[in-house]
């Protein structure tokens, strides 16, 4: 059985990608396929010999290549699986990627999503849907500990697609607080952030750190807590889970995928923010409980079995 993963990344390098859906989803697809004895390849051009074609997240730099391959995919006899992690079918801005997903959904294809709410939206279109959550990054959880910082240090980590939510929150809910803000992200985020002409006076001092697992762990060990604003209604819980595994209390905006963890973080309410700034260590017990929940629910073997079940349904 030949599985082709539509992705520009070498299959063995998916686990090291800075694209979360490659690292936390496609790497699991690859491992599950290998365990099933499949031959696995990656590439942006449709392989006519593939039995299963798995379309990974379509990033902006894949748009042109994949648009040209859609017709080949329509003629292919392969079983088509679509990894749908962002609700681009509802997008009014990214029309090119929306069109690609509309074409993919018109095929005789099966859709895999990270959260149930997003899956329900796709089921309304008459599609067969499987819900498989994102995996977790390959590093041991860090036990929460007191950093003894004189100045509060806050972590924000995310892709440039999330930077506007950070800008919004530091100019509203966190306006007036004094702290060091550590951004662990890609270079595009830093470019956007430095070009912003803030109309309010910020008391935070930003520090930019290029995203990598090592940088994320090292910076987290210096931070008192993490913040997680979001503008994506159907985002997965992977960033929330990562922050807990980094041993950090979290202030977050609640979306559908965060609800199972609602008892372990606080929201951006004035009294909660005040308390976090005064005593982030009081949340350490909740972080430890969240880590336990994550270990139980995001077991690698359990997730691999879910991916295997989808691949075997050809």
């Amino acid at each position: 059985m030949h599985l082709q993963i539509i992705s520009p990344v070498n299959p063995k390098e998916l686990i090291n990608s800075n694209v979360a859906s490659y690292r936390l989803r496609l790497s699991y697809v690859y491992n599950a396929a290998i365990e099933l004895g499949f031959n696995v390849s990656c590439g942006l051009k449709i392989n006519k010999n593939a039995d299963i074609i798995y379309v990974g997240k379509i990033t902006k730099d894949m748009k042109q290549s994949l648009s040209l391959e859609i017709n080949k995919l329509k003629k292919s006899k392969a079983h088509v699986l679509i990894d749908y992690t962002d609700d681009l079918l509802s997008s009014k801005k990214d029309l090119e990627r929306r069109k690609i997903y509309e074409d993919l959904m018109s095929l005789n294809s099966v859709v895999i999503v990270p959260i149930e709410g997003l899956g329900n939206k796709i089921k309304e279109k008459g599609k067969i849907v499987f819900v498989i959550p994102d995996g977790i990054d390959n590093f041991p959880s860090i036990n929460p500990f007191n950093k003894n910082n004189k100045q509060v240090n806050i972590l924000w980590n995310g892709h440039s697609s999330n930077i506007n939510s950070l800008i919004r929150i530091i100019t509203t809910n966190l306006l007036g607080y004094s702290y060091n803000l550590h951004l662990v992200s890609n270079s595009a985020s830093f470019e956007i952030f430095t070009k912003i002409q803030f109309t309010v006076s910020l008391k935070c001092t930003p520090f930019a750190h290029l995203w990598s697992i090592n940088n994320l762990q090292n910076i987290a060990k210096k931070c008192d807590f993490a913040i997680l604003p979001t503008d994506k209604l159907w985002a997965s819980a992977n960033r929330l889970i990562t922050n807990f595994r980094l041993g950090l209390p979290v202030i977050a905006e609640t979306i559908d995928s965060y609800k199972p963890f609602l008892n372990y973080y606080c929201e951006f309410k004035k009294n909660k923010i005040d308390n976090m700034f005064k005593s982030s260590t009081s949340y350490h017990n909740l972080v430890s409980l969240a880590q336990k929940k994550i270990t139980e629910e995001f077991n690698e073997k359990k997730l691999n079995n879910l991916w295997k079940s989808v691949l075997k349904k050809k």
Side-chain angles (χ1 to χ4, degrees), residues 176-242:
Y177 293 93
S178 178
Y179 56 96
N180 294 325
L181 176 63
H182 295 271
L183 292 78
V184 182
S185 188
N186 57 339
S187 56
S189 282
F190 309 144
E191 186 176 348
I192 294 169
F193 193 90
T194 55
K195 287 183 177 179
I196 292 291
Q197 295 183 341
F198 292 101
T199 57
V200 293
S201 179
L202 301 177
K203 293 183 179 180
C204 68
T205 304
F207 297 88
H209 312 275
L210 199 60
W211 189 95
S212 74
I213 291 293
N214 284 338
N215 275 352
L216 194 55
Q217 292 176 90
N218 291 333
I219 300 305
K221 291 174 182 177
K222 302 174 183 178
C223 291
D224 300 286
F225 60 91
I227 55 173
L228 194 49
T230 181
D231 293 328
K232 297 179 179 179
L233 180 62
W234 300 112
S236 82
N238 68 64
R239 287 198 297 150
L240 178 64
I241 287 168
T242 295

Side-chain angles (χ1 to χ4, degrees), residues 1-11 14 19-34 36 38-59 62 66 69-70 73 76-86 100-101 104-105 107-115 118 128-135 303-314:
M1 189 71 70
H2 182 182
L3 167 69
Q4 181 187 7
I5 299 175
I6 302 298
S7 160
V9 181
N10 181 295
L14 289 167
V19 178
S21 64
Y22 290 179
R23 198 173 66 253
L24 306 180
R25 298 185 68 75
L26 296 192
S27 70
Y28 281 79
V29 175
Y30 171 71
N31 289 337
I34 293 297
L36 289 171
F38 289 9
N39 175 32
V40 183
S41 63
C42 278
L44 296 180
K45 292 188 178 297
I46 303 301
N47 188 322
K48 63 181 181 181
N49 296 317
D51 301 291
I52 303 173
I53 295 176
Y54 195 100
V55 183
K57 178 175 181 175
I58 302 167
T59 56
M62 290 169 58
L66 205 53
E69 294 296 304
I70 290 292
L73 202 53
S76 173
K77 294 180 181 179
H79 182 50
V80 179
L81 302 171
I82 303 167
D83 202 26
Y84 187 65
T85 58
D86 293 316
I100 293 173
Y101 277 110
L104 289 172
M105 294 295 174
L107 301 175
N108 183 20
S109 54
V110 172
V111 183
I112 299 92
V113 297
I115 58 172
L118 186 55
I128 297 173
V129 176
F130 292 94
V131 179
I132 302 181
D134 288 357
L303 291 178
N304 269 352
N305 285 338
L306 290 174
W307 286 112
K308 284 182 189 178
S309 68
V310 169
L311 293 176
K312 288 191 292 188
K313 287 185 183 294
K314 180 185 180 302

Side-chain angles (χ1 to χ4, degrees), residues 16 45 101 137 142 148 152 159 237 300:
N16 300 315
K45 292 188 178 297
Y101 277 110
D137 279 309
I142 300 170
N148 293 311
V152 170
H159 187 263
E300 184 175 355

Side-chain angles (χ1 to χ4, degrees), residues 80-311:
V80 179
L81 302 171
I82 303 167
D83 202 26
Y84 187 65
T85 58
D86 293 316
D87 192 19
L88 285 167
L89 290 171
S90 301
S91 174
K92 295 181 180 179
K93 295 180 180 179
D94 199 338
L95 299 183
E96 289 179 87
R97 283 198 292 172
R98 174 178 173 172
K99 178 62 168 63
I100 293 173
Y101 277 110
E102 286 174 345
D103 288 342
L104 289 172
M105 294 295 174
S106 71
L107 301 175
N108 183 20
S109 54
V110 172
V111 183
I112 299 92
V113 297
I115 58 172
E116 191 170 348
L118 186 55
N120 290 337
K121 290 192 69 176
I122 302 303
K123 284 179 182 177
E124 291 174 359
K125 301 179 183 296
K127 304 297 293 183
I128 297 173
V129 176
F130 292 94
V131 179
I132 302 181
D134 288 357
I136 57 177
D137 279 309
N138 187 26
F139 65 83
S141 292
I142 300 170
N143 292 326
F145 65 95
N146 190 343
K147 312 301 165 48
N148 293 311
N149 290 323
K150 292 182 179 179
Q151 174 83 313
V152 170
N153 282 256
I154 298 176
L155 173 70
W156 177 85
N157 65 289
H159 187 263
S160 53
S161 61
N162 301 301
I163 192 68
N164 287 330
S165 64
L166 172 68
I167 293 167
R168 170 176 53 78
I169 214 74
I170 66 173
T171 55
T172 54
N173 299 69
L174 295 183
L175 186 65
Y177 293 93
S178 178
Y179 56 96
N180 294 325
L181 176 63
H182 295 271
L183 292 78
V184 182
S185 188
N186 57 339
S187 56
S189 282
F190 309 144
E191 186 176 348
I192 294 169
F193 193 90
T194 55
K195 287 183 177 179
I196 292 291
Q197 295 183 341
F198 292 101
T199 57
V200 293
S201 179
L202 301 177
K203 293 183 179 180
C204 68
T205 304
F207 297 88
H209 312 275
L210 199 60
W211 189 95
S212 74
I213 291 293
N214 284 338
N215 275 352
L216 194 55
Q217 292 176 90
N218 291 333
I219 300 305
K221 291 174 182 177
K222 302 174 183 178
C223 291
D224 300 286
F225 60 91
I227 55 173
L228 194 49
T230 181
D231 293 328
K232 297 179 179 179
L233 180 62
W234 300 112
S236 82
N238 68 64
R239 287 198 297 150
L240 178 64
I241 287 168
T242 295
N243 284 318
F244 283 140
R245 296 189 65 238
L246 291 168
L248 296 178
V250 180
I251 309 177
E253 291 182 307
T254 298
I255 55 176
D256 194 61
S257 64
Y258 294 1
K259 289 177 181 177
F261 295 91
L262 196 55
N263 293 331
Y264 304 102
Y265 67 87
C266 67
E267 297 180 283
F268 284 95
K269 297 177 180 178
K270 183 67 167 61
N271 62 324
K272 299 292 186 181
I273 297 171
D274 287 346
N275 190 47
M276 187 69 82
F277 269 84
K278 290 175 184 176
S279 181
S280 60
T281 56
S282 64
Y283 289 87
H284 283 181
N285 184 54
L286 291 179
V287 174
S288 296
L289 291 173
Q291 289 180 347
K292 182 180 178 182
K293 178 181 174 68
I294 291 163
T295 299
E296 293 170 353
E297 296 187 9
F298 294 84
N299 176 279
E300 184 175 355
K301 183 177 180 180
K302 178 181 176 181
L303 291 178
N304 269 352
N305 285 338
L306 290 174
W307 286 112
K308 284 182 189 178
S309 68
V310 169
L311 293 176

